[in-house]
Amino acid sequence: MSTSITALPRPRQALAARTQRAAGLSQSPTSKGPHSAGRVRLTRRGRLTVLLIFLALALAAFTFVGGPAASTGTSHHSVAATVVVQPGQTLWDIAREVAPHADPRVVVAQITELNDLSDPGAIRAGQPIYVPTP
């Protein structure tokens, strides 16, 4: 006894669809199957790679676009001189001596800020303090 297998002829449309699926092509451009043409699917590793590349490019852009951080010769701090407190002298007296034509309240505030004084009345004789220069 012998057995023979005979393949039945298939319609051409079904054969063409099967050939396209085997080649990884979609049947129509609007199909949403896993092998649709034009669709990119990233894995977790791929998304991480894209994120790292984006961050590296952003860092490079900020580095090249940003200005230099070099110090210049200009000073942005107010110019100050040093005065030694005499016995019985207060900040009010010092402010009137340093800036006779300015408001003493403003000058006392500047002296307090320059010397980081928490209590302006706690200065001692012989203590050097910074005073603003006009």
Side-chain angles (χ1 to χ4, degrees):
M1 283 199 164
S2 94
T3 306
S4 71
I5 299 175
T6 307
L8 298 173
R10 293 187 176 174
R12 289 184 186 225
Q13 274 186 328
L15 184 61
R18 184 174 178 192
T19 306
Q20 285 179 349
R21 278 193 304 260
L25 302 173
S26 66
Q27 294 176 359
S28 68
T30 60
S31 69
K32 301 286 184 183
H35 300 290
S36 63
R39 183 179 168 129
V40 177
R41 185 173 176 181
L42 289 176
T43 61
R44 175 182 278 166
R45 187 179 193 180
R47 287 189 298 266
L48 180 64
T49 303
V50 168
L51 176 68
L52 290 176
I53 289 172
F54 174 75
L55 290 175
L57 290 174
L59 179 65
F62 286 130
T63 301
F64 291 123
V65 172
S71 177
T72 60
T74 60
S75 176
H76 300 287
H77 303 288
S78 61
V79 180
T82 304
V83 173
V84 178
V85 179
Q86 300 299 318
Q89 200 173 30
T90 63
L91 284 182
W92 190 271
D93 297 331
I94 295 171
R96 287 191 359 215
E97 286 178 20
V98 172
H101 300 293
D103 185 6
R105 293 174 292 188
V106 174
V107 180
V108 167
Q110 290 173 342
I111 293 171
T112 304
E113 184 180 338
L114 280 172
N115 294 286
D116 196 26
L117 298 173
S118 58
D119 182 17
I123 58 171
R124 298 178 315 272
Q127 176 182 357
I129 60 170
Y130 296 110
V131 292
T133 57

